[in-house]
Amino acid sequence: MTERQDPTCSARGCRAAAQWALRWNNPKLHTPERRKIWTACDDHRASLEEFLSLRGFLKDTVSTKELT
């Protein structure tokens, strides 16, 4: 059995621990109920949410603790 690793931030070049899960989907590619997940640290949460929101992809943001 492998050890579960804590998620790291999805921002390019960031290796910080992620506290947030940004759930999104691209309606041109995914069914409405499908959710992809990017993880974010506190420093990158707003910029990643903005990136997804501007494209109409962001569905919600939750704590990574809610994913377990």
Side-chain angles (χ1 to χ4, degrees):
M1 186 156 101
T2 60
E3 237 181 88
R4 182 171 178 255
Q5 293 183 332
D6 291 330
T8 57
C9 183
S10 296
R12 182 178 296 160
C14 185
R15 301 288 28 126
Q19 292 84 29
W20 302 103
L22 287 64
R23 297 190 289 200
W24 64 278
N25 90 4
N26 179 340
K28 291 182 181 178
L29 301 175
H30 308 123
T31 58
E33 65 279 350
R34 178 152 183 214
R35 294 293 180 264
K36 304 274 292 177
I37 297 174
W38 281 358
T39 53
C41 65
D42 285 332
D43 290 341
H44 291 113
R45 176 184 174 180
S47 62
L48 291 173
E49 284 177 330
E50 181 179 9
F51 179 89
L52 292 169
S53 291
L54 287 172
R55 289 152 180 81
F57 295 172
L58 185 65
K59 300 303 178 190
D60 64 348
T61 300
V62 298
S63 166
T64 55
K65 293 175 184 163
E66 292 183 42
L67 297 178
T68 57

